[in-house]
Each structure stands twice: as C-alpha cells, then as structure tokens.
Amino acid sequence: TQLLEQSPQFLSIQEGENLTVYCNSSSVFSSLQWYRQEPGEGPVLLVTVVTGGEVKKLKRLTFQFGDARKDSSLHITAAQPGDTGLYLCAGLHLPSGNTPLVFGKGTRLSVIA
Amino acid sequence: DTAVSQTPKYLVTQMGNDKSIKCEQNLGHDTMYWYKQDSKKFLKIMFSYNNKELIINETVPNRFSPKSPDKAHLNLHINSLELGDSAVYFCASSPHPHSTTNEKLFFGSGTQLSVL
C-alpha cells in the first residue's frame, strides 16, 4: 500500500500570510493530484502534476512535484478567507493495473480575515 | 445542471436497516466510483465501475452492493447497517479510464450517513 502523509494536519493563519503544505511518501508516483474540499461538498480537483520537478501555478497557488516523484508541495501566497478548506493530495502509481488513487488525510486550512 | 448528483444528502437510520444511496452523472463519463470519508476526513475508495462493469472492490464488506444500471448511474445499497458505517459517502466519475495518468475525479457533494 502506498501511503501519502500530509503535513501539517491543521493550519490556521491570518489573511495575507503565505503558507506551504506538504505531501510525502516513500513510494514513487506516476502522477499526483491536489484537491480542495469545502464543508458539505465533495473534493474539487485543482491540479495534476506528472513530471518530476514540475511546477504548476494556479493564480496564488503554486504546486511542485518532487524530483523523485515521491513528494509534492502546495504553496499559497497572500492567503485569503476563500482559500479555507481541506486540501487533499492523491497519488497514482503506475503500472498499477487496477490500483486506485491513494489519498492523503488532508491539511485543514483556516484563513482568518 | 449538477455534474455528479447523489441523493439523499443526509441519511439517518437505525442499526440493522437496509438503505440505498443513488448517484447520477451527466458528464458522459465511463468510469464511476464510490468513496467513503471517515470522521477524520480520510477518503478511501470502495468501488470503481467502468462502463457498468465492476473494476475495483476494495475489501468492502459484502453488505455493500453497488449497482450500475447504465454508465451514468452507480447506486450503493447497504444491508444490515452497522454503527461503523457512519461516514460521508461520495460518488465520483472520471472522463478517463481507470489507472491512467490523466485520471481525474469529479465528486458529488456527498451523503452523510448516520447509523444510530
């Protein structure tokens, strides 16, 4: 079983601050995804990273896939209350046959105005 | 025009009862899933279907029986509900076949199941 560890588990910051959350594993993943989940809703896909060392930007969010494809980070610049939510990373291991996406346990972010 | 819709949103029931959760997607996707999210927010796959055929059954008790009448629907029936079944159940669909690099999930808004 490929496990994904996310840290920190909880994060509470003031509006305007920067933050980074991490997703780590001892396994190599073919791709890694980040989702954001708001209360009472399902997770929504933010980004997929595929290549080791890849960096993707989505407005104030920057996603990086580790060179060895075992870890990833999400950096948010100038956080806003609308960024509040549960951030989940999910990894896909190929060749996997029918191995499903593996989810981390998430980082719960609270941005206070 | 919700993409992945599941009903009911909330389900409160007694231990031992049988209940069903319905899911429909209007995205034209071939692959659908059921996930369980526990109280600690850990999201774990239960079943995966590709074009009405069962692909993944992740050691889920046989009290849980998915049924896919067509590729746009994947319902979940649960027999003899137990306290430990209390969780949020998410339906999801994907435009790509399972286990490809491009696999991406579109989730419903969840069904909060409480077994008393």
Side-chain angles (χ1 to χ4, degrees), chain A residues 14 35 95 99:
Chain A
Q14 295 289 328
Y35 290 80
T99 302

PDB file of all heavy atoms in Angstrom, chain A residues 14 35 95 99:
ATOM      1  N   GLN A  14      -3.494  34.102   9.329  1.00  0.00           N
ATOM      2  CA  GLN A  14      -4.164  35.363   9.059  1.00  0.00           C
ATOM      3  C   GLN A  14      -4.183  35.639   7.554  1.00  0.00           C
ATOM      4  O   GLN A  14      -3.281  35.217   6.804  1.00  0.00           O
ATOM      5  CB  GLN A  14      -3.436  36.503   9.762  1.00  0.00           C
ATOM      6  CG  GLN A  14      -3.450  36.440  11.273  1.00  0.00           C
ATOM      7  CD  GLN A  14      -4.822  36.728  11.848  1.00  0.00           C
ATOM      8  OE1 GLN A  14      -5.603  37.499  11.295  1.00  0.00           O
ATOM      9  NE2 GLN A  14      -5.141  36.097  12.969  1.00  0.00           N
ATOM     10  N   TYR A  35      -6.522  18.290  -4.451  1.00  0.00           N
ATOM     11  CA  TYR A  35      -7.940  18.624  -4.418  1.00  0.00           C
ATOM     12  C   TYR A  35      -8.189  19.571  -3.252  1.00  0.00           C
ATOM     13  O   TYR A  35      -7.496  19.526  -2.245  1.00  0.00           O
ATOM     14  CB  TYR A  35      -8.799  17.373  -4.194  1.00  0.00           C
ATOM     15  CG  TYR A  35      -8.837  16.398  -5.358  1.00  0.00           C
ATOM     16  CD1 TYR A  35      -7.799  15.492  -5.569  1.00  0.00           C
ATOM     17  CD2 TYR A  35      -9.930  16.352  -6.215  1.00  0.00           C
ATOM     18  CE1 TYR A  35      -7.835  14.588  -6.616  1.00  0.00           C
ATOM     19  CE2 TYR A  35      -9.982  15.441  -7.274  1.00  0.00           C
ATOM     20  CZ  TYR A  35      -8.932  14.566  -7.466  1.00  0.00           C
ATOM     21  OH  TYR A  35      -8.981  13.663  -8.504  1.00  0.00           O
ATOM     22  N   PRO A  95       3.096   1.182 -13.233  1.00  0.00           N
ATOM     23  CA  PRO A  95       1.918   0.458 -13.720  1.00  0.00           C
ATOM     24  C   PRO A  95       1.142  -0.136 -12.550  1.00  0.00           C
ATOM     25  O   PRO A  95       1.710  -0.743 -11.672  1.00  0.00           O
ATOM     26  CB  PRO A  95       2.512  -0.653 -14.595  1.00  0.00           C
ATOM     27  CG  PRO A  95       3.882  -0.856 -14.040  1.00  0.00           C
ATOM     28  CD  PRO A  95       4.331   0.480 -13.500  1.00  0.00           C
ATOM     29  N   THR A  99      -4.950  -0.532  -9.425  1.00  0.00           N
ATOM     30  CA  THR A  99      -4.708   0.182  -8.167  1.00  0.00           C
ATOM     31  C   THR A  99      -5.325   1.564  -8.251  1.00  0.00           C
ATOM     32  O   THR A  99      -5.103   2.298  -9.205  1.00  0.00           O
ATOM     33  CB  THR A  99      -3.198   0.318  -7.915  1.00  0.00           C
ATOM     34  OG1 THR A  99      -2.632  -0.989  -7.891  1.00  0.00           O
ATOM     35  CG2 THR A  99      -2.942   0.988  -6.584  1.00  0.00           C
TER      36      THR A  99
END
